[in-house]
Amino acid sequence: MRVPCILRCCMACLFMIRAALPAHAESCNTPWPAWQGFREHFISEGGRVIDPSSKTHYTTSEGQSYALFFALVDNDPQTFSRLLEWTEANLAGGDLTSRLPAWEWGQRPDGSWGVLDENAAADADLWLAYALSEAGLLWKNPKYAALGELLADRILREESAELPGLGRTLLPGPRGFHPDDDHWRLNPSYVPLQLVHRMASLYPESGWPQLAAPALQLLLGSAVHGFAPDWVIYAAGHGFEPDPASGDLGSFNAIRVYLWAGMLSSANPDQAALLKALAPMGRYVASHSTPPLQTHPFAGNAEGTGSVGFSAALLPLLAALRQPDGVRLQRLRLEASPPQERLDNYYDQALALFGRGWLDDRFKFARDGRLVPHWTCRTDSHASH
């Protein structure tokens, strides 16, 4: 049968458009089974991320912000919307434009449910502002973009301070982290450099550009022997010291320092110094085959065996340090004991979504911290390993 001329032209155009797309374009919006499992097991129909590791099955602003990021990575606007609505209604008194979200929500001693601690958590707030800002751009949603900028501005005003000898620094929250005039309690895992750089890039006229150099110095200065601490004290005139409350310890908080560092773009000028500083963790994993459960950063030693979530969190760092055997062994450990086979390990699964998702090219971060999710079908030389 003779094909009409106009149809032949349309078919030719479609062929040329298809030929111009990246080779991976047809598969770049494939489902993300790990995220789908997490969504099914840990997120309620109303949009609450439930951590079943406690008797009360509480919720944190961290869990909400991580899930928002994963929903964006998977191009899942429906889940993103539900998560955001629950967060605003329950953690921010119904209005994220006027306050930071409370960090903990759950069952009170009298049996009622609600906010357990009004204080905010700066890391969750930063991930929330980042997810909203990137969603506003990627999904062309002005509401999300405006809300992200408002949160970024509030974080600066309420959760940062000028530390003598260090500069403008992100505090862990609005209250409780400045015990006296000369000391501040800080958490290195709260400052993923890609997010700080992205805020500085998106809002160059704000104070965010001033936070980049102190954030890097916090990461480098607190990893004295190549191991990151969970918490650290910054003393004016003296620098970084062990935190008396938690001791000289790096574990469940600190594991994220290696995770964020490994996912930093190779085009980012901070990556080389950060990889050099954290290389001892890579050497430890190479010699022990598994990550340590805890380190003693100021003493320079480590002990125990971390969970499979720790293995997942170290995948990007091992890849960035060019340790293919280390990557292979940690991937094998994940496959031999998949985190998603258990329903009581929210944190392990969150770490696995970050580490394994990045390694499997579900997302990357560009040089300035911009999110490059798989579903955009874009390639970006500045988001390379």
Side-chain angles (χ1 to χ4, degrees):
M1 181 170 62
R2 185 179 179 86
V3 180
C5 180
I6 188 169
L7 183 56
R8 292 201 305 271
C9 291
C10 289
M11 291 172 64
C13 289
L14 286 171
F15 179 81
M16 286 188 291
I17 291 171
R18 184 176 178 182
L21 291 172
H24 67 287
E26 291 185 5
S27 62
C28 60
N29 201 22
T30 55
W32 189 7
W35 160 245
Q36 292 171 347
F38 184 95
R39 184 179 59 196
E40 177 183 347
H41 295 140
F42 297 107
I43 302 178
S44 72
E45 288 188 10
R48 176 168 86 94
V49 179
I50 301 169
D51 185 345
S53 63
S54 70
K55 292 181 180 179
T56 60
H57 290 198
Y58 68 97
T59 288
T60 62
S61 55
E62 170 207 285
Q64 296 298 120
S65 64
Y66 286 175
L68 282 160
F69 174 79
F70 298 139
L72 177 58
V73 165
D74 197 46
N75 196 21
D76 185 355
Q78 291 79 21
T79 302
F80 190 98
S81 177
R82 286 193 292 119
L83 289 160
L84 182 60
E85 288 174 7
W86 192 94
T87 302
E88 184 163 40
N90 294 278
L91 301 184
D95 187 6
L96 272 170
T97 69
S98 65
R99 58 176 291 181
L100 295 169
W103 84 271
E104 187 178 28
W105 188 98
Q107 189 172 27
R108 302 184 182 105
D110 64 3
S112 65
W113 291 79
V115 170
L116 301 177
D117 191 331
E118 291 280 355
N119 207 7
D123 65 327
D125 301 336
L126 179 53
W127 277 102
L128 179 57
Y130 180 85
L132 283 164
S133 299
E134 296 296 81
L137 292 170
L138 288 164
W139 286 333
K140 298 179 172 56
N141 187 313
K143 175 185 175 181
Y144 291 163
L147 193 52
E149 186 170 359
L150 283 171
L151 276 170
D153 182 72
R154 190 169 292 277
I155 292 167
L156 275 177
R157 287 187 284 111
E158 298 184 23
E159 297 181 303
S160 74
E162 190 72 27
L163 274 56
L166 187 60
R168 176 64 55 177
T169 302
L170 189 70
L171 302 179
R175 301 179 301 277
F177 301 98
H178 185 27
D180 59 56
D181 289 346
D182 297 322
H183 295 85
W184 290 262
R185 190 171 187 238
L186 305 176
N187 190 316
S189 74
Y190 279 28
V191 287
L193 288 179
Q194 46 272 78
L195 271 61
V196 174
H197 283 291
R198 184 55 169 159
M199 294 295 106
S201 172
L202 286 171
Y203 315 119
E205 302 304 318
S206 70
W208 276 102
Q210 301 172 27
L211 269 73
L216 177 63
Q217 189 53 45
L218 167 59
L219 295 169
L220 299 178
S222 62
V224 184
H225 296 288
F227 297 125
D230 284 343
W231 294 89
V232 69
I233 293 293
Y234 178 77
H238 297 280
F240 298 102
E241 303 173 351
D243 173 44
S246 61
D248 180 18
L249 180 68
S251 188
F252 290 97
N253 276 275
I255 191 64
R256 296 176 297 189
V257 172
Y258 313 106
L259 174 61
W260 311 147
M263 294 192 297
L264 197 64
S265 168
S266 60
N268 189 293
D270 292 342
Q271 193 212 41
L274 200 52
L275 292 182
K276 182 179 179 181
L278 299 177
M281 174 57 86
R283 291 195 290 270
Y284 181 96
V285 175
S287 61
H288 292 77
S289 299
T290 56
L293 174 62
Q294 58 187 31
T295 65
H296 303 285
F298 288 86
N301 54 45
E303 61 197 17
T305 301
S307 68
V308 291
F310 279 36
S311 287
L314 286 174
L315 286 171
L317 180 69
L318 295 172
L321 290 171
R322 303 184 185 279
Q323 293 183 205
D325 285 343
V327 171
R328 180 180 60 82
L329 288 175
Q330 302 318 304
R331 289 189 74 152
L332 286 173
R333 190 173 183 228
L334 274 173
E335 291 164 5
S337 182
Q340 58 268 28
E341 287 187 351
R342 290 173 51 192
L343 304 181
D344 61 346
N345 60 347
Y346 146 79
Y347 194 54
D348 271 353
Q349 293 202 37
L351 293 176
L353 283 169
F354 275 118
R356 185 68 185 266
W358 180 90
L359 193 71
D360 292 344
D361 289 325
R362 286 285 168 183
F363 66 93
K364 287 290 186 287
F365 295 101
R367 182 183 189 276
D368 64 352
R370 174 174 54 88
L371 178 64
V372 185
H374 191 230
W375 56 265
T376 61
C377 298
R378 292 200 302 248
T379 56
D380 191 325
S381 61
H382 295 300
S384 64
H385 296 199

